[in-house]
Amino acid sequence: MLINLLCGLLIMGLCLLLQSVIIVSALRYYVYRQTVMTTPSFWSSLIVINGVMVLLFIGNSAQVVIRAVLFLYLGEFSEFGQAVYHSAVNFATLGYGDIVMSAKYKLLGPLEAINGVLMIGMSTAALVVAFQDAIRKITEARNKILG
């Protein structure tokens, strides 16, 4: 059980590092496109926000794949698709229970769920910051036009 805990925490640390890189990249993407949001156009801002969402989604999906590869390496699954499905269910905290890991590695599921809650929360926080800033910029641009 201690090996599972250490393995789970090691992967969680790797995922935290990946999430940090993705969030910084997403916010840099947002900042580098500030000139687009100095106009009162809702659509141009929407495109930039969608870019941020795509980057954050890629980061979360990469974490699911990292766990799936771990599950394959441990011999819990023989098919990549099944490992990814199980990992995604854990990461999203759905807990369907249609696929259950062996007793030997069962602890890795809840650890992934804890990781998923934290990482999705971080993604949500970054997205909210971008949304709030975009709305503020659109409002300022429209107020300049209206006088």
Side-chain angles (χ1 to χ4, degrees):
M1 182 157 134
L2 183 60
I3 298 285
N4 285 335
L5 185 60
L6 291 175
C7 182
L9 292 175
L10 178 68
I11 294 295
M12 192 180 287
L14 175 66
C15 288
L16 179 60
L17 180 62
L18 174 64
Q19 185 73 11
S20 298
V21 169
I22 291 293
I23 286 177
V24 167
S25 299
L27 292 178
R28 276 190 178 166
Y29 168 87
Y30 178 79
V31 168
Y32 289 145
R33 281 148 186 85
Q34 293 293 311
T35 55
V36 171
M37 288 182 283
T38 57
T39 67
S41 170
F42 169 77
W43 295 107
S44 60
S45 296
L46 186 65
I47 290 168
V48 174
I49 292 295
N50 277 317
V52 171
M53 283 193 294
V54 166
L55 289 170
L56 294 171
F57 177 77
I58 289 169
N60 286 326
S61 298
Q63 293 176 65
V64 167
V65 170
I66 288 169
R67 296 279 182 152
V69 169
L70 172 66
F71 298 156
L72 283 172
Y73 174 76
L74 294 174
E76 283 296 304
F77 300 99
S78 58
E79 297 176 19
F80 182 68
Q82 192 177 29
V84 169
Y85 169 77
H86 180 72
S87 180
V89 167
N90 282 338
F91 192 83
T93 69
L94 291 173
Y96 286 149
D98 55 340
I99 301 174
V100 181
M101 292 176 59
S102 68
K104 184 176 181 182
Y105 298 114
K106 206 179 254 191
L107 181 61
L108 294 176
L111 287 174
E112 183 175 12
I114 291 167
N115 186 70
V117 167
L118 292 171
M119 299 307 117
I120 292 171
M122 288 175 63
S123 294
T124 302
L127 193 56
V128 166
V129 166
F131 264 122
Q132 288 175 332
D133 189 61
I135 290 169
R136 183 181 56 79
K137 287 183 187 309
I138 291 169
T139 304
E140 286 174 0
R142 288 183 179 176
N143 286 342
K144 282 182 183 178
I145 290 173
L146 296 175

